[in-house]
Each structure stands twice: as structure tokens, then as C-alpha cells.
């Protein structure tokens, strides 16, 4: 079994941000050092998926999951992928995988051209089949990131490439540009060396090798911080806050809230949009170590250990009592090492005497890893004796990879998104058993999950 190269051992305040290897630690947290080299020597990698397969994001045919319809309740190998996959990303309804030779494979929803392919067969069956992303032949891709309607890739030269369709400016390609059918370089960041991108529903953050953060897209609620546009509240928040905040009610109320969200989105006009990446002013004089975008909120982890949050706080996902718009510190006394953000909850691996996971925000399906709802950060329960290396957050479920190379899951089990063989919710972390090999990475989409395994 591989020994994981975990950023849990990195002391943020004592590492030079000029060292690009530090940022590789952040972006590839929990992944073996071998991720950066060939998988020679007989080592093979496989991608396994589970959860909601209605959009094809699992990459599985109906024959792969007999008797389960479109969903997979246990980790199932995604067929027809190369054996040298080195990085994976789960968007809301599609998935991406990068090989050690710098290729990207994509599958799932393609209504917004987020798969980066010119479709001849637009059937759902075709979309669920992994295929190479077109138009990046001259780019050696290190990592790729998926959102709801847009995909992004980072080349080994620090270049940022995007494709898909977003009326909210999430492409970052310039004023009024809402679609890119093939990967297009973000020229505004051509002079920067980008090491990580995080994508929300309509906004985005990019982290550079020297610790700068750029934000763009839909900027309501100051979800990307101050990028030179007036801070204003989101129309979605003002319309839906009354019903969504009562998130402990039953499914009927949740459905009513979601309908209001859809109605509000249809009414949005004259949206506050940053069409190109702009430096986030709150971070101008600090070095940043990590970034994470939830659907409508953002987290920025500074090099000195300060954790900032911004955006919508309908679910308490900002983790702070201060409700001002824009970037403000999370009410956390721990020392965060790495972070993750889902639809309405947030996760952080913190290091006091030993690494542990802290969570806050929405807890309707126990995605915080505890029974009681809590908007302010508290430790995830039931993780005694385990050392977390990376975390990922979906709509209402959470994943973790430990230094042992094991995957743990908790939260909503609907559609099998926890991979435990049932649809039951789990209030405490549960080991994902019967996975042969070492788990290198585990990522949560909205309602599906992917794991990268070394055999």
C-alpha cells in the first residue's frame, strides 16, 4: 500500500509560499507523491463511482449496476478509463479525470457543453461513457475542476483553461462571453501561475503559486470578496431565506424551498458579474494557502492560519456570527490545514495536537458528522484514531481520505451516494469497506461520489 503524502504534516506558517511544492501539497492533498510521475512499475489506478447516476456522472452502463436502475449503491469501477489516472473531480452532474500524461477524460451531463466534446450522439448513454476532452492536445494538464455548468483545467505551465456555458460569467473570458464550446485560455491570468481553481454554481476563485487569489463570476453577497464591484445581497437569499433557514423541517419544506430557488433564478436580471478574474482585495497583503467554493459561498485559508468566508449564509455555511457582506474571519479557534465547501456546509481539517475535521452549516442529513445542527464550527464526531488527509463536501454528504489510504463517508445516503449499500443517512463517519487498494482521492459531486484507487 502506498504511503500517502498528506498535507496534514505541513505547518502553514513555516512554509515558504515561493516554493511551488507547497501548493502541490494543498491542491493534491491526500494524494501520493507518485501522482506527479508515471505510474510505472506495474502500479495501476482505477476510478470508482457511486450515487445518483441520472445524469451519467457515474460513467457506468446499465449492465454495470444490475437491478439498481441508474444509481450505484456501492463503489463500482468506471470502465474504459486509462490505468494511469492521477486526479479526479466531481462536478454537480459530471465528472473529470486526468491522466499522468496530461489528458482529461469527462462524462456526465453535457447540456452546457461542460464535457468539452463535440457531440454526435447526444443520448444519455453516450454521455455516461468517458471520453477525452477535445482541444487540449498541446497542454500538459495537471489537474481539472468541475462545477455545475463549467469545467476548468490547469496546465503544468500554470495556464488556466475553461469550457462550458454560464450566464453568470463563470468562464472568466471577458464581458458578455457566456459559452466556450472548446477549452479556452483565461488570458487575464496569462501572466500568473495558477495552481488551483475552485468553482461554485456561478462564481470562481483561482489560487496562484505565490499565494494570490483572483475571483470572478456572480459576485452577489460578496461571495468572491471585494473585486471592485458594489457589494449587494443576492436575490435568491432574500426570496428563499424564510423557508430554507428552517432546514430541520421535512422533505416537503425542502422541496418548497428548492422551487423558490428556481423561481428566483428565473427572475434574476442585471446580475452583478465580474466577467474577468480580479484580485480579491481582502487578500492583497496576505499569502493564501487554500481556496474552496461552495454553491453560493467561498472559503479562503490564509498562510497565517486565518480562515475567511464570504457569500450566502442561508444555511450558516459561513461559520461566523458576523453577518456583514464580503470576506470576514470564520469563528474558529483551531488551525485549519485544508478546507472544503458543499451546497450549504463547510469542512476543515484542523491541527491542534493532531489533525481532526471541523464542520459547520447545514445539517439536514447529518452531513456535519453529528446529530445536532450547529452553524458554528465543531468537531466531526466518531473519528477517534484516524488521521484525516483530505475532505470533500457534496450537496448533503461528506467524504474523507485518511493517511491509511481509506475513505470515510457520512451524511445523506439517498441514491447510494455514500457507497455503503443502502440509502440510509449516517450521522457519523463510516468506513467505505471492500475497496481493494489504497484510496488516493475521494471527491463529492452534488449527489454522486468518486474515489481514485491505487491497486
Amino acid at each position: 500500500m502506498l504511503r500517502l503524502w498528506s498535507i496534514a504534516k505541513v505547518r502553514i506558517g513555516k512554509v515558504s509560499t515561493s516554493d511551488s511544492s507547497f501548493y502541490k501539497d494543498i491542491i493534491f492533498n491526500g494524494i501520493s507523491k507518485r501522482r506527479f510521475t508515471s505510474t510505472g512499475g506495474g502500479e495501476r489506478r482505477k476510478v470508482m463511482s457511486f450515487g445518483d447516476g441520472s445524469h451519467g456522472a457515474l460513467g457506468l452502463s446499465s449492465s454495470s449496476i444490475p437491478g439498481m436502475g441508474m444509481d450505484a449503491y456501492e463503489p463500482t469501477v468506471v470502465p474504459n478509463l486509462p490505468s494511469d489516472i492521477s486526479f479526479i473531480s466531481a462536478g454537480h452532474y459530471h465528472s473529470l479525470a486526468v491522466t499522468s500524461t496530461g489528458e482529461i477524460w469527462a462524462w456526465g451531463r453535457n447540456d452546457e457543453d461542460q464535457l468539452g466534446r463535440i457531440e454526435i450522439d447526444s443520448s444519455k448513454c453516450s454521455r455516461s461513457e468517458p471520453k477525452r476532452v477535445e482541444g487540449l492536445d498541446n497542454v500538459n494538464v495537471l489537474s481539472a475542476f468541475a462545477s455545475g455548468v463549467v469545467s476548468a483545467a490547469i496546465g503544468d505551465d500554470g495556464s488556466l483553461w475553461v469550457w462550458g456555458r454560464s450566464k453568470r460569467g463563470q468562464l472568466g473570458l471577458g464581458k458578455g462571453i457566456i459559452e466556450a464550446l472548446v477549452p479556452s485560455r483565461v488570458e487575464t491570468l496569462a501572466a500568473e501561475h495558477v495552481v488551483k481553481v475552485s468553482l461554485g454554481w456561478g462564481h470562481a476563485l483561482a489560487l496562484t503559486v505565490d499565494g494570490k487569489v483572483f475571483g470572478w463570476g456572480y459576485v452577489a453577497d460578496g461571495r468572491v470578496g471585494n473585486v471592485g464591484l458594489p457589494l449587494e445581497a443576492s436575490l435568491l437569499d432574500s426570496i428563499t431565506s424564510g423557508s430554507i433557514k428552517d432546514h430541520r423541517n421535512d422533505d416537503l419544506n425542502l422541496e418548497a424551498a428548492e422551487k423558490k430557488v428556481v423561481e428566483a433564478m428565473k427572475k434574476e436580471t442585471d446580475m452583478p458579474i465580474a466577467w474577468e478574474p480580479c484580485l480579491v482585495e481582502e487578500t492583497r497583503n496576505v499569502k493564501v494557502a487554500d481556496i474552496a467554493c461552495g454553491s453560493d459561498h467561498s472559503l479562503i485559508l490564509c498562510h497565517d492560519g486565518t480562515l475567511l468566508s464570504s457569500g450566502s449564509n442561508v444555511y450558516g455555511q459561513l461559520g461566523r456570527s458576523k453577518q456583514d457582506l464580503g470576506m470576514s474571519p470564520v469563528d474558529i479557534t483551531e488551525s485549519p490545514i485544508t478546507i472544503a465547501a458543499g451546497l450549504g456546509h463547510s469542512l476543515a481539517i484542523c491541527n491542534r495536537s493532531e489533525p481532526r475535521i471541523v464542520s459547520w452549516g447545514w445539517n439536514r442529513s447529518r452531513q456535519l458528522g453529528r446529530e445536532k445542527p450547529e452553524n458554528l464550527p465543531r468537531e466531526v464526531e466518531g473519528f477517534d484514531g484516524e488521521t484525516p488527509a483530505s475532505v470533500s463536501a457534496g450537496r448533503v454528504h461528506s467524504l474523507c481520505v485518511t493517511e491509511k489510504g481509506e475513505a470515510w463517508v457520512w451524511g445523506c445516503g439517498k441514491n447510494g451516494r455514500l457507497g455503503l449499500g443502502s440509502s440510509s443517512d449516517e450521522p457519523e463517519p463510516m468506513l467505505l469497506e471492500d475497496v481493494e487498494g489504497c484510496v488516493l482521492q475521494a471527491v463529492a459531486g452534488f449527489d454522486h461520489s468518486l474515489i481514485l484507487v491505487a491497486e
Side-chain angles (χ1 to χ4, degrees):
M1 179 178 286
L2 293 173
R3 181 180 182 278
L4 293 185
W5 189 31
S6 169
I7 65 161
K9 297 181 179 179
V10 175
R11 287 186 176 273
I12 290 179
K14 296 185 178 181
V15 179
S16 171
T17 55
S18 63
D19 184 357
S20 63
S21 66
F22 169 70
Y23 286 97
K24 286 182 179 178
D25 286 354
I26 292 294
I27 183 176
F28 301 117
N29 57 59
I31 301 177
S32 164
K33 282 184 179 180
R34 295 190 191 185
R35 184 262 168 259
F36 303 108
T37 63
S38 170
T39 58
E43 177 189 307
R44 295 174 59 85
R45 309 256 180 98
K46 60 186 178 184
V47 178
M48 306 183 78
S49 63
F50 45 96
D52 186 350
S54 59
H55 294 272
L58 300 182
L60 305 175
S61 64
S62 57
S63 61
S64 301
I65 42 177
M68 293 292 187
M70 292 180 292
D71 302 334
Y73 284 74
E74 296 179 352
T76 306
V77 175
V78 178
N80 304 317
L81 281 174
S83 61
D84 65 335
I85 298 299
S86 55
F87 191 87
I88 54 174
S89 178
H92 294 181
Y93 308 114
H94 72 292
S95 304
L96 304 173
V98 181
T99 69
S100 63
T101 56
E103 300 175 347
I104 305 181
W105 292 67
W107 60 95
R109 178 185 170 98
N110 197 39
D111 292 15
E112 294 79 24
D113 298 302
Q114 57 266 59
L115 298 187
R117 67 174 75 159
I118 306 298
E119 280 194 330
I120 298 176
D121 181 359
S122 60
S123 66
K124 290 183 178 180
C125 181
S126 172
R127 295 180 184 185
S128 66
E129 180 183 353
K131 293 182 180 179
R132 278 192 61 188
V133 172
E134 302 169 2
L136 287 168
D137 294 342
N138 298 319
V139 181
N140 182 29
V141 175
L142 282 182
S143 56
F145 303 89
S147 71
V149 294
V150 167
S151 298
I154 297 175
D156 61 358
D157 60 352
S159 58
L160 174 60
W161 302 76
V162 294
W163 60 97
R165 188 181 303 126
S166 171
K167 67 177 183 178
R168 295 185 169 198
Q170 198 178 27
L171 292 170
L173 296 175
K175 187 173 179 59
I177 299 178
I178 62 173
E179 68 176 15
L181 302 183
V182 296
S184 302
R185 185 168 185 176
V186 180
E187 295 296 341
T188 303
L189 295 176
E192 305 291 340
H193 189 109
V194 178
V195 293
K196 183 175 182 179
V197 173
S198 190
L199 303 166
W201 184 260
H203 69 292
L205 294 175
L207 175 64
T208 69
V209 73
D210 53 354
K212 291 184 289 188
V213 176
F214 293 84
W216 65 95
Y218 184 52
V219 300
D221 303 312
R223 65 193 59 188
V224 298
N226 181 4
V227 291
L229 294 176
L231 296 180
E232 57 183 80
S234 165
L235 176 62
L236 294 180
D237 279 9
S238 63
I239 291 180
T240 62
S241 58
S243 53
I244 292 184
K245 280 183 178 178
D246 191 13
H247 52 259
R248 283 163 285 188
N249 283 351
D250 56 22
D251 289 342
L252 181 62
N253 286 339
L254 178 66
E255 291 174 2
E258 289 180 340
K259 288 180 180 179
K260 288 189 176 183
V261 169
V262 173
E263 292 172 0
M265 291 178 69
K266 290 179 179 179
K267 295 178 181 178
E268 283 184 307
T269 58
D270 193 25
M271 294 179 289
I273 292 174
W275 290 98
E276 294 181 337
C278 302
L279 186 68
V280 177
E281 289 297 326
E282 291 93 334
T283 65
R284 179 178 290 276
N285 298 317
V286 300
K287 300 291 185 181
V288 171
D290 200 6
I291 55 175
C293 289
S295 289
D296 298 315
H297 76 292
S298 298
L299 302 175
I300 292 180
L301 175 57
C302 300
H303 194 259
D304 63 4
T306 301
L307 180 58
L308 304 174
S309 65
S310 64
S312 172
N313 198 37
V314 166
Y315 303 96
Q317 62 265 50
L318 298 187
R320 52 182 166 88
S321 56
K322 184 178 181 180
Q323 301 300 315
D324 295 349
L325 296 180
M327 291 284 174
S328 292
V330 173
D331 295 339
I332 190 168
T333 58
E334 310 288 339
S335 299
I337 299 170
T338 187
I339 51 180
L343 171 77
H345 72 294
S346 303
L347 304 172
I349 296 179
C350 298
N351 193 15
R352 184 182 287 173
S353 57
E354 58 184 24
R356 59 189 188 134
I357 302 173
V358 173
S359 63
W360 60 94
W362 198 23
N363 198 36
R364 173 182 169 269
S365 297
R366 305 301 182 262
Q367 60 266 39
L368 298 186
R370 56 177 176 267
E371 288 286 354
K372 296 180 180 179
E374 184 77 42
N375 289 345
L376 298 181
R378 283 183 52 196
E379 183 178 359
V380 171
E381 301 168 356
F383 232 104
D384 296 339
E386 301 298 332
T387 303
S390 65
V391 285
S392 184
R395 186 201 298 258
V396 281
H397 72 294
S398 304
L399 307 176
C400 170
V401 176
T402 67
E403 284 195 341
K404 294 178 183 177
E406 296 175 337
W408 292 70
V409 296
W410 62 95
C412 180
K414 186 178 180 181
N415 305 108
R417 69 193 72 179
L418 296 183
L420 297 173
S422 76
S423 58
S424 300
D425 293 354
E426 295 293 345
E428 292 187 0
M430 299 289 291
L431 175 64
L432 196 60
E433 299 180 353
D434 301 325
V435 174
E436 295 183 1
C438 176
V439 178
L440 303 178
Q441 192 182 0
V443 293
F446 246 28
D447 301 320
H448 76 290
S449 305
L450 302 176
I451 57 174
L452 176 62
V453 181
E455 298 180 298

